[in-house]
């Protein structure tokens, strides 16, 4: 195997370092909150040089965006069940499971903080919001192609995601399957 093939191989040291850095960020957000740690502290927690983080991500804000998007895409991917109702119910259940899991509150806080920073022109917040809306639109467009009447992506955010995020952020009770299904039902 030549050097170029080795560099393209999925997994390996690069993937392990990325996972360790992501976990360090999530842990620090859980412990200290957003904005209360540096790249150096992330690097020390992950056991890598801070220059490695700067080389790979460029800035703390870019790293935070990558952590949020990776978590969302890995834990709450856009489903394709063959129906809009099935897609939305599966998606909502995945999001509910992710945001109530062990690192859920930290991920919600990160997403909310990056998004609210986006209102002030933060590229990280814009990137996070735009990518999630693009993914939702793909799911909704797919349902329209099947002949289903689909809501707008912002309606999904308003009627499904926002209520779940608010409940998690303010500790307002569990996200039961009945509650999550009810959110989807009211939207549809």
């Amino acid at each position: 195997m030549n050097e170029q093939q080795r560099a393209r191989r999925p997994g390996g040291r690069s993937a392990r370092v990325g996972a360790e850095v992501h976990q360090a960020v999530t842990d620090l957000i859980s412990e200290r909150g957003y904005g209360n740690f540096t790249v150096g502290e992330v690097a020390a927690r992950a056991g890598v040089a801070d220059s490695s983080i700067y080389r790979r991500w460029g800035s703390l804000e870019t790293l935070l965006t990558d952590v949020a998007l990776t978590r969302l895409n890995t834990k709450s991917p856009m489903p394709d069940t063959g129906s809009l109702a099935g897609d939305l119910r599966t998606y909502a259940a995945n999001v509910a499971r992710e945001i109530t899991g062990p690192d859920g509150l930290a991920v919600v806080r990160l997403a909310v903080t990056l998004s609210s920073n986006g209102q002030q022109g933060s590229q990280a917040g814009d990137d996070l919001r735009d990518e999630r809306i693009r993914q939702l639109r793909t799911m909704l467009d797919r349902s329209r192609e099947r002949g289903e009447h689909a809501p707008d992506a912002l309606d999904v955010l308003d009627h499904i995601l926002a209520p779940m995020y608010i409940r998690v952020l303010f500790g307002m009770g569990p996200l039961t399957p009945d509650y999550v299904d009810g959110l989807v039902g009211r939207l549809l």
Side-chain angles (χ1 to χ4, degrees):
M1 177 182 294
N2 67 32
E3 192 65 34
Q4 191 173 22
Q5 288 171 322
R6 190 175 300 121
R8 290 185 184 159
R9 186 187 74 213
R13 184 181 189 293
S14 179
R16 188 179 70 251
V17 167
E20 290 168 356
V21 169
H22 279 215
Q23 189 60 52
V25 167
T26 304
D27 291 346
L28 286 165
I29 291 170
S30 292
E31 294 167 14
R32 302 182 191 173
Y34 176 83
N36 296 317
F37 55 89
T38 66
V39 167
E41 290 168 311
V42 172
R45 176 77 59 106
V48 301
D50 54 349
S51 60
S52 295
I53 292 176
Y54 284 115
R55 186 172 39 259
R56 187 166 180 175
W57 287 281
S59 71
L60 182 58
E61 188 173 69
T62 302
L63 170 60
L64 295 174
T65 302
D66 185 50
V67 168
L69 280 172
T70 299
R71 286 293 295 257
L72 290 171
N73 292 336
T74 301
K75 306 288 184 172
S76 306
M78 291 299 141
D80 186 0
T81 65
S83 75
L84 177 60
D87 290 350
L88 288 174
R89 282 191 168 82
T90 301
Y91 173 66
N94 288 343
V95 170
R97 188 172 31 262
E98 168 61 9
I99 66 176
T100 59
D103 299 324
L105 183 57
V107 172
V108 170
R109 285 181 175 154
L110 177 57
V112 168
T113 301
L114 289 172
S115 295
S116 63
N117 284 351
Q119 293 175 358
Q120 301 163 9
S122 164
Q123 189 61 48
D126 293 347
D127 291 348
L128 180 62
R129 182 193 62 240
D130 292 349
E131 176 61 17
R132 210 49 174 170
I133 288 173
R134 185 197 64 74
Q135 292 172 349
L136 284 169
R137 284 185 178 141
T138 299
M139 179 179 65
L140 297 170
D141 288 346
R142 199 173 45 237
S143 72
R144 286 184 192 98
E145 290 169 7
R146 292 189 299 256
E148 297 175 287
H149 175 73
D152 182 77
L154 292 177
D155 287 333
V156 175
L157 294 176
D158 287 343
H159 297 281
I160 296 175
L161 293 181
M164 290 193 297
Y165 275 40
I166 291 297
R167 279 191 169 220
V168 169
L169 282 170
F170 294 108
M172 298 171 56
L175 299 180
T176 65
D178 287 341
Y179 174 76
V180 173
D181 276 349
L183 295 174
V184 173
R186 284 188 292 280
L187 175 63
L188 294 176

